Amino acid sequence: MPPAPQQPSAPAVPAGLPGTAARVLDLVASGVVSSRADLVRELGLAASTVSARVQELVDQGLLTEVGEGTSRGGRRPRLLRIPDDGAVALAADLGSHHVRLAAVGLTGSAHDVEEHALDLAAGPAATLGVLVERLRALAERQRAAGRTVRGLGVGFPGPVDTGAGRVVAPSRMPGWHLFDLRDRLADALGLPVLVDNDANVMALGEHRTVLPHLRHLVLVKAGRGIGSGVISHGTLYRGAGGAAGDISHVRVEAAAERPCSCGNIGCLETVASGASLVAALRERGLRVDGAADVLRLVRDGEPRATTLVRQAGRHIGTVLSVVVNFFNPQAVVLGGALAEAEPLVAAVRGMLYERCLPMTTSDLVITASATGPDAGLLGAGHAALRELAHEPPAEPGRVAAAPATEPGRACEAPVAEPGRA
């Protein structure tokens, strides 16, 4: 993957920093704490500091205090809760040919999940207007239901400079390089926006919803392309430039001299991605248009499809064995469309047990994603609520349609300033 810009901006809220509003929300939402006293003990901060953070979140409608808990000596504490009908973030999980949308609450609930066709290869000018229109309608439905829309989280299927909110050199997506997706969406919707790589938000969604008790995990997205997201010490690890977890362009022996969209040869993507499987099956005379057709053939026991999918799993497992030996995670989660193919999951599991040190696999969980296609939505929504916690709620009037005098403003590709590319 081409390197991210040399000077990425810092996230709006330092993720995982003890004492921030985001950290308080994480602890309450995960059930680790239930009162201000619990927060003081967990964070090791002064009671006055914790109270200030809690009150800030209560004032914003992100937390509420209800009832009374069990006393450990002295006055019984008020219990902290995340209101089910309170704040939500819009979430958009973009695929190369579709988009899934929902509104996600801090309790992990997803409202109004929907999916639409959207071809990112057509470029931002042809797709962003449609995306904005769908998101406006979704926002209005949330407000009509009495929910406060706090922001928007977006998972994009390519490299992202999260701090700057820009897409960086995505494969097979002309027109998106250095596109200011965050700022264009924020201008069009009147909402604060967070944009991240799709595998990263999937890792967040799976961790937050299913595996919050684990501190270290890797999620691999095996779909049209291949990517992975890394959770370290309970938080998403993006690396110095936002490229952490990109395993798709690791060279594998089986790929030999196959040219890759990144400009190199022999990348994992060329033999283990959904796109490569579709191409290989077409060469063998089978009619396939996408991952759904590959899965159908595997379920039907088509030997050529099953063999290729199993081989893809072995290739992914070969690369992951290095990751597991180096990182020593507690879990490897397989997500994306191809994770629904049991031969692929079994092949990955087999390679990890074969090639990893027994010490790294003795307690290692290797499983398909439990949240399935909603992982990206849940992660994008959670990330937006967490990292945009200090942003004020958007004014309802700001989500009106874009002025007719400026058609397509949010869809124009930016012109890079000299020296910034």
Side-chain angles (χ1 to χ4, degrees):
M1 183 185 76
Q6 294 182 351
Q7 296 180 331
S9 305
V13 177
L17 184 63
T20 63
R23 181 63 175 150
V24 170
L25 285 176
D26 271 354
L27 291 171
V28 176
S30 64
V32 173
V33 303
S34 60
S35 69
R36 298 189 188 209
D38 290 344
L39 284 167
V40 170
R41 285 189 292 271
E42 183 71 23
L43 298 174
L45 299 174
S48 58
T49 301
V50 168
S51 289
R53 296 293 183 271
V54 169
Q55 192 58 51
E56 177 185 346
L57 294 168
V58 169
D59 292 343
Q60 293 180 28
L62 298 175
L63 276 182
T64 185
E65 290 184 290
V66 296
E68 292 183 335
T70 302
S71 173
R72 297 186 181 182
R75 189 172 57 183
R76 291 197 295 176
R78 299 289 302 281
L79 297 177
L80 296 172
R81 293 288 184 270
I82 305 268
D84 286 329
D85 57 350
V88 296
L90 306 184
D93 184 19
L94 295 169
S96 56
H97 292 92
H98 73 281
V99 60
R100 285 173 63 81
L101 304 174
V104 178
L106 276 164
T107 57
S109 54
H111 309 280
D112 298 325
V113 178
E114 56 190 70
E115 184 169 326
H116 307 281
L118 191 73
D119 186 5
L120 292 182
T127 57
L128 203 63
V130 176
L131 178 60
V132 167
E133 181 182 350
R134 299 287 189 184
L135 287 168
R136 284 197 184 108
L138 179 61
E140 289 306 319
R141 289 200 297 275
Q142 304 318 302
R143 294 192 176 95
R147 305 183 187 107
T148 302
V149 179
R150 303 291 307 187
L152 166 65
V154 179
F156 188 88
V160 173
D161 175 0
T162 308
R166 294 189 300 186
V167 178
V168 183
S171 301
R172 301 179 297 274
M173 295 182 192
W176 286 98
H177 177 52
L178 294 184
F179 185 77
D180 292 314
L181 183 57
R182 180 191 65 192
D183 292 344
R184 299 308 177 93
L185 288 173
D187 287 346
L189 296 169
L191 291 170
V193 177
L194 180 140
V195 180
D196 205 339
N197 171 261
D198 58 348
N200 281 348
V201 297
M202 287 178 66
L204 279 173
E206 189 76 11
H207 178 252
R208 170 71 179 79
T209 307
V210 182
L211 302 169
H213 57 288
L214 299 185
R215 302 288 289 165
H216 310 282
L217 68 86
V218 175
L219 179 138
V220 176
K221 179 188 178 184
R224 180 175 176 80
I226 299 176
S228 71
V230 178
I231 301 294
S232 178
H233 294 282
T235 60
L236 178 67
Y237 179 73
R238 294 188 176 101
D246 189 350
I247 63 172
S248 59
H249 301 292
V250 174
R251 190 164 186 174
V252 293
E253 184 178 351
E257 302 297 310
R258 293 172 184 262
C260 181
S261 59
C262 73
N264 211 329
I265 58 173
C267 295
L268 175 66
E269 179 177 296
T270 65
V271 291
S273 66
S276 71
L277 292 177
V278 168
L281 288 170
R282 285 175 177 172
E283 290 175 0
R284 288 160 174 75
L286 296 173
R287 297 182 60 182
V288 289
D289 294 322
D293 290 329
V294 176
L295 293 174
R296 173 180 53 79
L297 291 172
V298 171
R299 285 193 295 267
D300 291 344
E302 209 292 323
R304 289 165 291 183
T306 302
T307 298
L308 284 174
V309 166
R310 190 177 296 277
Q311 288 175 349
R314 283 197 287 266
H315 299 324
I316 294 171
T318 298
V319 173
L320 276 180
S321 65
V322 179
V323 175
V324 169
N325 276 333
F326 179 80
F327 178 51
N328 190 200
Q330 295 164 288
V332 170
V333 180
L334 301 174
L338 293 181
E340 297 180 28
E342 180 55 34
L344 182 137
V345 177
V348 170
R349 184 180 290 113
M351 292 304 293
L352 291 180
Y353 285 131
E354 176 185 332
R355 297 199 172 204
C356 292
L357 294 170
M359 187 176 182
T360 64
T361 57
S362 59
D363 296 317
L364 180 67
V365 176
I366 307 169
T367 184
S369 168
T371 52
D374 289 340
L377 288 176
L378 295 171
H382 172 62
L385 285 168
R386 184 180 187 277
E387 299 199 22
L388 302 173
H390 289 307
E391 299 284 350
E395 300 174 11
R398 292 193 62 196
V399 191
T405 55
E406 297 183 84
R409 177 178 179 273
C411 303
E412 297 170 359
V415 179
E417 298 175 14
R420 292 194 65 187

